[in-house]
Amino acid sequence: VFAMLTMLWTTWLSYLAPNTSWDGIWYHDTIVGWSIQNHGFSTVLMPFTLENVNGVPRLCETMSLWFVLFTDRRLIEAPNSVIAAPMLMLGFYCIARRHTRTLTGATGWAAALYLMPASLLQMRSTYVDVYVAAFFLAGLHYSTRPEMRLRDGWMAGLCLGMLGASKALGLPWMCIIGAVALPRLLWNNAWRTPFRTIGTTLGSLVIAGGFAAPSYVRNWRTNHNPFWPVMISLPKLGINWPGNFDPVIERPLQLMLADMLAVPVPGRDFHDPRVWGYGLGFPFFVLPWALLMAPVVIVCIARSLFTKSFDRVAWNLLLVVLPIAATWPLAPQKWFARYNLQIVAGLAFLASWSSTRTWVRRASEGLAAICIGTSIIMVYWADPGWSVDIPTAFTLAKMSPLERASFEAAGYVFESKTAAAREEEL
């Protein structure tokens, strides 16, 4: 109920309030504005520091573009609340339901993942990380089904193509999940229907490549760097691709843990909370519980190898968790929770699986409740978490669209005249 209320509230705020997200101002909003002016995603002459407008994959911005084309600028942020968030919860639920004993456990953990500050505070913004995690989980769902059918191969190709087209990080993640999906598709179907299997394999690869390739191909043709404007330097591989910023902004592990585990201080926070994005429940409770459950899963799998009672649930959980774990070394900023939502989902899968063990059955739902409860508390601590508090929202509702576009809402980063000029330019 609380998750649905936040989706409705942030959709309403998206309609009322001017945009305040940093990356939205930098390039997400600008991509939408230029695509309307140019009737497509043409390369635009931009200052070097704004080359993200030309280079980043833009599938998620295309969702905002459709909303704006058929309405107006006021719904540019709405897709996160009405599409990405429900898809994130549903993708997690579809996988977790295989490993949980109760319906409550799967729905509870799905809500806990969405309500984590790094996910929840992206509502009412044009950030794309909730989309990326949703595409990741959707692709993982179809790629790791207990029996992978041909129809699952088509859907896996579609979801993985969307993952690669949503963010540069999505491209290597797409390949990791694809490395699981492809052999399973062939193994489960080739002996039964070889020609249909070959057709499905080729068709799904074409769909995945068709979605993911355009931005990277254009970047290579124009700047000799598929990940433009991200600078990539790998001397051992002979790669020295130019760009305007280095993606690796890492903190020492000790400092990262100290920041993550520090007591949160109530006060203003923006859509990309950097220190407490993981919330309280996941680092303090779920992480140690998942580390405790991981060897239990291994024991269950090892035991099933030497007995006649094959543990399909534990094997499938391993199949789900391993691709997620493989994304951790590729994460450029591990302290930045919104870049690592899939890692949190992996911890939640382990915790939800524990409900199948009689000796800890209650602990799984209890941990989900802790995550939900602490996240609700942190919404208050982040006030105004979506840059607009409740009284201001009702004030905005009484204004005209022109007044709202230049309103200096709480946490807003522009003065009124600057905001009005930017709004007119977009």
Side-chain angles (χ1 to χ4, degrees):
V1 170
F2 186 78
M4 292 183 67
L5 286 175
T6 60
M7 293 176 199
L8 292 172
W9 176 253
T10 52
T11 302
W12 192 52
L13 288 183
S14 299
Y15 180 81
L16 290 178
N19 188 290
T20 60
S21 60
W22 291 100
D23 285 3
I25 293 167
W26 183 9
Y27 58 94
H28 294 303
D29 300 7
T30 318
I31 288 172
V32 176
W34 278 118
S35 65
I36 294 173
Q37 292 185 23
N38 294 329
H39 296 234
F41 296 119
S42 303
T43 300
V44 181
L45 183 62
M46 299 290 289
F48 190 54
T49 54
L50 300 181
E51 276 295 320
N52 286 45
V53 175
N54 289 322
V56 298
R58 57 202 61 220
L59 178 71
C60 305
E61 288 82 359
T62 306
M63 297 301 302
S64 294
L65 175 61
W66 276 91
F67 272 63
V68 172
L69 283 175
F70 290 105
T71 56
D72 61 30
R73 164 67 176 76
R74 286 171 288 182
L75 290 184
I76 192 172
E77 300 167 335
N80 257 338
S81 299
V82 301
I83 296 178
M87 186 179 176
L88 176 77
M89 292 182 65
L90 185 59
F92 182 91
Y93 169 84
C94 287
I95 298 175
R97 192 67 185 95
R98 308 174 200 163
H99 312 136
T100 52
R101 187 178 295 274
T102 64
L103 184 71
T104 310
T107 53
W109 281 110
L113 179 64
Y114 160 69
L115 292 174
M116 188 178 73
S119 305
L120 184 60
L121 292 180
Q122 285 187 63
M123 302 302 104
R124 205 192 82 75
S125 81
T126 49
Y127 280 63
V128 302
D129 300 284
V130 176
Y131 266 116
V132 175
F135 294 146
F136 185 99
L137 292 175
L140 190 65
H141 164 64
Y142 289 109
S143 301
T144 60
R145 281 181 57 90
E147 182 181 353
M148 191 171 181
R149 306 160 297 182
L150 291 178
R151 70 187 72 174
D152 299 321
W154 288 106
M155 291 303 295
L158 175 63
C159 295
L160 294 181
M162 296 166 77
L163 174 61
S166 62
K167 196 165 188 171
L169 275 174
L171 189 62
W173 296 349
M174 164 188 171
C175 296
I176 289 172
I177 301 177
V180 174
L182 187 59
R184 295 193 74 239
L185 180 66
L186 296 172
W187 177 263
N188 289 335
N189 299 282
W191 63 273
R192 188 170 55 238
T193 55
F195 294 108
R196 290 180 60 199
T197 302
I198 293 173
T200 298
T201 302
L202 295 176
S204 59
L205 288 173
V206 168
I207 290 175
F211 266 89
S215 293
Y216 304 104
V217 171
R218 186 175 77 167
N219 286 339
W220 178 257
R221 293 177 61 185
T222 56
N223 298 292
H224 301 289
N225 178 0
F227 298 102
W228 175 266
V230 180
M231 183 188 305
I232 305 292
S233 180
L234 299 171
K236 293 182 179 180
L237 299 178
I239 294 176
N240 188 22
W241 294 334
N244 65 11
F245 69 94
D246 186 342
V248 181
I249 308 173
E250 201 55 272
R251 292 184 178 183
L253 180 62
Q254 184 177 359
L255 179 60
M256 180 180 76
L257 292 175
D259 285 342
M260 286 173 53
L261 301 179
V263 178
V265 178
R268 178 179 299 175
D269 215 337
F270 291 99
H271 301 295
D272 54 344
R274 303 189 178 196
V275 177
W276 302 301
Y278 289 102
L280 295 176
F282 282 101
F284 280 105
F285 297 94
V286 181
L287 176 59
W289 185 255
L291 293 176
L292 177 66
M293 288 296 106
V296 178
V297 175
I298 300 300
V299 169
C300 291
I301 292 173
R303 186 174 60 186
S304 72
L305 292 174
F306 300 101
T307 64
K308 295 181 179 179
S309 57
F310 185 71
D311 195 336
R312 292 182 177 274
V313 174
W315 275 101
N316 189 262
L317 177 66
L318 182 67
L319 188 66
V320 167
V321 171
L322 284 180
I324 294 176
T327 67
W328 179 250
L330 301 175
Q333 296 166 321
K334 296 177 176 62
W335 52 278
F336 219 171
R338 68 181 178 92
Y339 287 165
N340 299 289
L341 297 180
Q342 81 286 350
I343 298 295
V344 179
L347 298 177
F349 286 136
L350 283 166
S352 65
W353 172 84
S354 66
S355 67
T356 62
R357 307 293 98 183
T358 304
W359 53 289
V360 288
R361 185 171 300 168
R362 293 294 183 92
S364 176
E365 291 183 11
L367 286 171
I370 288 172
C371 290
I372 292 170
T374 52
S375 293
I376 291 173
I377 293 171
M378 294 189 78
V379 173
Y380 172 75
W381 281 345
D383 182 60
W386 297 287
S387 299
V388 179
D389 56 22
I390 294 175
T392 304
F394 287 103
T395 301
L396 283 165
K398 300 175 183 177
M399 295 181 178
S400 68
L402 180 61
E403 291 173 324
R404 288 199 294 264
S406 58
F407 181 72
E408 293 185 44
Y412 202 58
V413 294
F414 291 137
E415 294 180 358
S416 291
K417 291 182 180 180
T418 310
R422 175 178 180 270
E423 194 75 11
E424 183 178 358
E425 179 72 16
L426 284 174

